[in-house]
Amino acid sequence: DQQVKQNSPSLSVQEGRISILNCDYTNSMFDYFLWYKKYPAEGPTFLISISSIKDKNEDGRFTVFLNKSAKHLSLHIVPSQPGDSAVYFCAASAFGNQFYFGTGTSLTVIP
Amino acid sequence: GAVVSQHPSWVICKSGTSVKIECRSLDFQATTMFWYRQFPKQSLMLMATSNEGSKATYEQGVEKDKFLINHASLTLSTLTVTSAHPEDSSFYICSARLRKGLGNTGELFFGEGSRLTVL
């Protein structure tokens, strides 16, 4: 049973525009959420996290929004840059235990 | 906001050597730190919970003599992979929990992760 879902396998965005990546989860006990970025043939890179006590966390061009009632989180990248082209994974955990990953969304930023 | 720094971010070593990864909470005291490992195409697995001044609590299946964890101060925890082998190659990430009290909720903050490659 997939507890964390990323329903869009791919996304293309023009450079300078906003990229919005979505993630849904089913377990209401999840209280920590992460976003990772992964380039081909490289390990994942931690991007940003958010705990359930917040509904927004911002770090430079990256903002994560959490809607607990909808069990939904999203990652906003603005402005998008070609170097942002990668696969993005969301992950969720309850109380800092095992993290469950989504299947990833491949973002392509077109110059 | 609170910052957790992990070092090194990349490390390559020969089989049989030991590698130490540091996790520091830069501007807060962390009584508890967690160490995770990501297996290829799988979830981030909790390896152990590290409490300042006491022994780490390891998850089932994690060899405590293989993965030595030391949490000697409220701002530093280290993970040492002893006698590393190629199967230990992985992505390791730490997180630190704010010390509860005075309105703090015990929120988790994550390091940037360390990519270990054992040749």
Side-chain angles (χ1 to χ4, degrees):
Chain A
D1 181 31
Q2 190 76 19
Q3 298 193 51
V4 179
K5 298 178 184 178
Q6 292 174 260
N7 292 320
S8 298
S10 63
L11 175 69
S12 291
V13 172
Q14 206 71 29
E15 180 179 4
R17 307 294 290 267
I18 184 171
S19 295
I20 300 176
L21 297 100
N22 294 305
C23 181
D24 297 290
Y25 60 96
T26 57
N27 190 341
S28 59
M29 299 300 288
F30 286 150
D31 58 357
Y32 287 100
F33 306 88
L34 314 178
W35 281 96
Y36 279 87
K37 178 170 70 173
K38 186 180 183 305
Y39 294 113
E42 290 186 15
T45 304
F46 169 73
L47 203 55
I48 194 168
S49 66
I50 189 169
S51 77
S52 59
I53 63 171
K54 296 180 178 176
D55 52 22
K56 176 183 174 182
N57 190 24
E58 198 171 344
D59 185 2
R61 296 185 297 112
F62 302 91
T63 303
V64 55
F65 294 92
L66 175 63
N67 183 332
K68 290 184 286 293
S69 60
K71 295 192 183 67
H72 176 85
L73 68 157
S74 60
L75 175 68
H76 292 212
I77 307 172
V78 55
S80 301
Q81 299 173 354
D84 296 329
S85 297
V87 179
Y88 290 78
F89 295 90
C90 65
S93 163
F95 314 112
N97 292 321
Q98 179 181 338
F99 276 84
Y100 295 88
F101 274 59
T103 49
T105 297
S106 178
L107 173 66
T108 302
V109 180
I110 305 164
Chain B
V3 176
V4 173
S5 176
Q6 197 169 332
H7 177 81
S9 54
W10 288 85
V11 58
I12 300 172
C13 69
K14 290 183 178 180
S15 184
T17 60
S18 294
V19 174
K20 181 186 285 188
I21 301 170
E22 294 186 347
C23 180
R24 293 181 184 272
S25 55
L26 297 185
D27 52 359
F28 67 99
Q29 292 183 332
T31 52
T32 304
M33 290 185 174
F34 300 90
W35 286 96
Y36 304 87
R37 174 180 178 178
Q38 184 180 29
F39 292 90
K41 299 182 181 180
Q42 295 185 32
S43 295
L44 205 60
M45 303 294 292
L46 178 65
M47 297 175 66
T49 302
S50 170
N51 295 299
E52 186 268 335
S54 64
K55 290 183 178 180
T57 303
Y58 290 82
E59 296 299 303
Q60 191 173 8
V62 178
E63 299 175 61
K64 60 182 180 181
D65 295 329
K66 172 77 171 176
F67 300 99
L68 300 179
I69 292 172
N70 184 283
H71 193 159
S73 76
L74 283 169
T75 59
L76 174 65
S77 177
T78 59
L79 168 67
T80 301
V81 183
T82 62
S83 186
H85 291 286
E87 58 264 30
D88 299 323
S89 298
S90 193
F91 181 72
Y92 295 87
I93 192 167
C94 70
S95 67
R97 189 186 293 278
L98 268 173
R99 192 174 196 175
K100 275 195 176 183
L102 297 177
N104 288 332
T105 61
E107 186 178 351
L108 277 179
F109 297 92
F110 291 85
E112 308 93 332
S114 300
R115 182 71 182 173
L116 170 64
T117 300
V118 184
L119 303 176

